[in-house]
Amino acid sequence: GMATVGGVHSRQLPNNSDGTIDLGDIESAIRADDPHFPRTRLICLENTHNHCGGRVLSLSYMRRVREIAQANGIPTHLDGARVMNACAKLGCKPAEIGEHFDTVSFCLSKSLGAPIGSVIVGNAEFIARCHRLRKCLGGQLRQVAVLAAPGLIALKRMPSRLSEDHDQAKRLAEGISKIEGLEVDLGTVETNMVMVNVSACCESAEAAVAALKEVNVLTGIMGKGILRLVTHHHIREAQVQKAVEAFARLAASRPANGNGAHA
């Protein structure tokens, strides 16, 4: 991907369970101008953090990362696919997050509910370059007003109701956490994602996904024995209750040893 198309060599750093990267690790990873090594040209963060279950980076943390970047003459980018969820949780405007980054990308789909679309934000020179690169990569679209229309609805109407999705996620997490054999860390449910550990009652996450799909509860796998559930504007209390009941039946149908056999 990035190496082939962009000629970029990435350097991943381990993140904490809350989605942050230790500031000392960021500083230590910045390479000096040595011809033997790739130059450090960009620092990227993700907010909210997908693999941490939608955890939110604080404004103060992003500010500190920005200060480190500026001290070393390095620009910053935010993978903000769900940045509107971060805004809802932090009670801030998108600009209050964006001011800590040179560029930001975010999705009109996912939490905002549009059928397709992403937006990238930066200065005029950067956007002009993006237009050229998009054309080079075959990303030019024609007659896209039919896609832009729901995108405008996503931007104008959806951010103000994202806290409802967060509330539904909390209800979902609380309901599943009461089921024997399933584990949910309620302290990590900050936005619209819930991570469920099914290892104690299912032989595999794949088996759990398949069983839940049979009753129209769709989940994704986020690691060994871990399922991810995401709430959105189509999910109401009735759907939350249905999902909780489906997980209860899943746990009850499988023995504690997880081998799939019934006594």
Side-chain angles (χ1 to χ4, degrees):
M2 68 174 72
T4 300
V5 177
V8 176
H9 177 78
S10 63
R11 189 178 191 184
Q12 296 87 9
L13 299 177
N15 58 263
N16 301 307
S17 61
D18 64 355
T20 62
I21 302 170
D22 288 341
L23 298 175
D25 288 348
I26 294 176
E27 291 182 296
S28 298
I30 297 174
R31 293 188 173 100
D33 188 5
D34 185 330
H36 295 89
F37 301 101
R39 289 174 292 178
T40 301
R41 299 292 296 271
L42 184 68
I43 296 176
C44 298
L45 297 178
E46 182 183 13
N47 199 9
T48 64
H49 199 293
N50 180 22
H51 281 266
C52 290
R55 301 297 296 273
V56 178
L57 306 183
S58 68
L59 292 174
S60 60
Y61 175 79
M62 291 183 286
R63 185 180 304 111
R64 286 289 294 118
V65 173
R66 177 65 164 174
E67 290 170 353
I68 292 171
Q70 288 180 326
N72 289 275
I74 301 171
T76 53
H77 173 74
L78 177 66
D79 175 354
R82 301 171 181 83
V83 70
M84 297 302 180
N85 292 93
C87 292
K89 174 64 176 178
L90 295 173
C92 69
K93 296 179 180 179
E96 294 178 71
I97 291 179
E99 68 183 24
H100 303 299
F101 300 91
D102 294 276
T103 57
V104 177
S105 60
F106 69 94
C107 290
L108 299 175
S109 55
K110 298 181 179 175
S111 299
L112 296 183
I116 189 175
S118 295
V119 175
I120 190 162
V121 181
N123 63 29
E125 180 182 357
F126 173 78
I127 296 302
R129 187 180 180 196
C130 288
H131 284 162
R132 177 172 290 276
L133 290 173
R134 182 185 67 182
K135 184 72 171 178
C136 291
L137 294 171
Q140 186 72 32
L141 297 176
R142 305 291 182 186
Q143 292 81 41
V144 294
V146 68
L147 297 177
L152 289 172
I153 293 174
L155 283 173
K156 293 178 179 179
R157 300 183 185 178
M158 304 305 283
S160 62
R161 57 152 308 281
L162 289 178
S163 59
E164 298 175 24
D165 297 342
H166 299 180
D167 291 340
Q168 297 294 6
K170 290 177 183 176
R171 294 188 183 97
L172 180 61
E174 290 169 355
I176 294 175
S177 70
K178 298 175 183 177
I179 301 172
E180 184 177 357
L182 301 176
E183 295 182 11
V184 177
D185 185 349
L186 297 177
T188 66
V189 183
E190 295 183 341
T191 53
N192 66 327
M193 294 187 191
V194 179
M195 299 292 192
V196 183
N197 190 329
V198 299
S199 300
C201 67
C202 296
E203 62 268 26
S204 68
E206 289 79 5
V209 168
L212 291 166
K213 187 176 182 179
E214 291 179 359
V215 292
N216 296 319
V217 175
L218 304 182
T219 63
I221 299 173
M222 294 297 284
K224 186 176 181 180
I226 304 295
L227 303 187
R228 187 191 73 165
L229 296 89
V230 180
T231 56
H232 52 79
H233 69 112
H234 287 145
I235 302 299
R236 299 291 186 265
E237 290 189 26
Q239 286 76 37
V240 169
Q241 185 59 36
K242 175 183 177 180
V244 171
E245 292 172 355
F247 270 93
R249 290 194 296 271
L250 175 72
S253 67
R254 300 178 183 274
N257 63 12
N259 62 13
H262 293 277

